[in-house]
Amino acid sequence: MALHIRNAELPGNGESRTFLGRDHGGVPVSFFIQASPPGHGPGPHRHPYAEVFVLHEGSGSFLAGDETIEASGGSVVVVPAGEVHGFTASPGGPLRMTCLHLHDHMVTEWVEPG
């Protein structure tokens, strides 16, 4: 049976909504629907699975291991499993994106900035 959920029905707020696959019939993916204001984003962290960022609008600076990636709407950023990463939305408007966690729930290990 197909599942239909409106974004506004997902837990969260106007900045971030969360879909956990395990809560929706064991779907093997989870994600955030993100609208990060300029200057906002999570600090350094890692996951035991890959994370894929699909940028829809705006831009941001992504930390991925020792690399900094500047990306904007229309881009995809892929961070491998176990790699320390984070992002910060750039000035000029919100960074709108979908952050895919390739797992039925989110497992996050926060890391002290190096």
Side-chain angles (χ1 to χ4, degrees):
M1 174 188 283
L3 178 66
H4 177 240
I5 303 168
R6 298 186 57 77
N7 288 354
E9 296 171 343
L10 294 171
N13 54 42
E15 186 175 323
S16 181
R17 300 240 174 230
T18 306
F19 175 95
L20 298 177
R22 71 176 178 196
D23 296 341
H24 301 282
V27 176
V29 66
S30 299
F31 57 85
F32 290 106
I33 299 171
Q34 198 74 29
S36 296
H40 289 247
H45 63 282
R46 69 177 134 233
H47 311 286
Y49 46 80
E51 185 171 5
V52 179
F53 300 90
V54 181
L55 285 68
H56 306 292
E57 181 182 315
S59 61
S61 179
F62 289 77
L63 164 71
D66 294 331
E67 187 177 1
T68 299
I69 300 167
E70 299 296 330
S72 59
S75 298
V76 174
V77 176
V78 179
V79 178
E83 188 161 287
V84 174
H85 63 282
F87 67 85
T88 304
S90 299
L95 172 57
R96 297 184 190 279
M97 63 183 168
T98 303
C99 310
L100 298 159
H101 290 238
L102 305 180
H103 201 269
D104 73 345
H105 65 283
M106 296 175 189
V107 179
T108 302
E109 176 188 350
W110 297 97
V111 180
E112 291 296 318

